[in-house]
Amino acid sequence: MKRDDGGVVNNPLRANIAQTLERERARRGLSHMHMAELFRTAEGEKLAYRTYIQTVRQKNNVTLTTLQIMANGLQLSFAALLAGGKKVPEWAHRLDDNAIRKRLARVIDFERQRRTLHRYEMAELIGVAEATFTKLERASGNISVDTIAAIARALKLDPATFLFSEKIPPGGADT
């Protein structure tokens, strides 16, 4: 995705995440430094302050792993971070980063079959290399919000809510 003159990428998911972080920071009355302190991994490592600030400024391509750390630290759901206040089904608030990867894989597979496309054609449509498409299809790799938004844009779906659509066939324990 391309940056504007201010270095910001036009990605509604980045905007939703930044707005949610700022809303939570204001609600909690925290400085940026104290807000960043909330983001620790399970091993006790902190998410870099720079990563947090760049996320708030919409200047970095946040990955699902980073979002999981932020969601855990804020005790929010992925859905709350990605949807940015848009209404999503209640079950969507129980999804973690692995469940999001699996749902994205199901969306891609569902849309590919609905459009009767070969895998290489679907990879071209969503604008990724075939190797990347294979990872997406297998629900593996550390997917970024820019990739998710690009897929939504290519499929003409709302990037903030398409992963939480009731139209996606259920699978696994995430729904």
Side-chain angles (χ1 to χ4, degrees):
M1 302 187 101
K2 295 184 181 177
R3 295 181 184 275
D4 67 14
D5 293 338
V8 175
V9 172
N10 181 16
N11 177 344
L13 297 179
R14 284 188 185 197
N16 290 349
I17 294 162
Q19 289 168 358
T20 302
L21 291 174
E22 279 299 304
R23 185 174 50 248
E24 284 297 311
R25 186 176 74 82
R27 187 179 71 79
R28 296 163 191 244
L30 297 174
S31 68
H32 284 294
M33 187 63 77
H34 287 107
M35 183 74 165
E37 288 287 324
L38 296 176
F39 306 130
R40 295 190 179 277
T41 65
E43 295 79 35
E45 295 178 24
K46 290 189 305 186
L47 186 70
Y49 173 76
R50 184 181 194 292
T51 300
Y52 161 72
I53 289 297
Q54 294 293 80
T55 303
V56 169
R57 293 179 180 163
Q58 302 178 50
K59 292 190 176 187
N60 67 336
N61 189 9
V62 183
T63 63
L64 292 181
T65 300
T66 299
L67 279 183
Q68 184 68 62
I69 293 167
M70 290 179 170
N72 290 347
L74 295 171
Q75 298 180 331
L76 293 175
S77 68
F78 256 96
L81 287 171
L82 294 175
K86 289 188 176 182
K87 186 156 175 55
V88 296
E90 187 56 39
W91 57 261
H93 294 286
R94 294 187 299 272
L95 301 178
D96 63 7
D97 57 333
N98 289 321
I100 294 290
R101 284 182 190 87
K102 290 175 185 173
R103 287 201 59 82
L104 183 61
R106 281 198 295 280
V107 168
I108 291 168
D109 186 55
F110 176 77
E111 289 293 327
R112 184 182 67 78
Q113 289 181 28
R114 187 178 73 78
R115 296 163 191 243
T116 63
L117 296 174
H118 294 283
R119 284 180 169 82
Y120 75 89
E121 293 171 315
M122 189 65 169
E124 283 179 18
L125 175 67
I126 63 176
V128 298
E130 285 185 61
T132 301
F133 181 78
T134 299
K135 286 182 181 179
L136 292 170
E137 206 176 29
R138 292 181 180 161
S140 64
N142 196 6
I143 301 164
S144 72
V145 295
D146 284 359
T147 299
I148 293 170
I151 291 167
R153 186 174 292 134
L155 298 175
K156 296 180 177 29
L157 300 170
D158 179 356
T161 60
F162 83 101
L163 289 171
F164 315 119
S165 171
E166 301 284 356
K167 292 191 306 187
I168 301 169
D174 63 7
T175 57

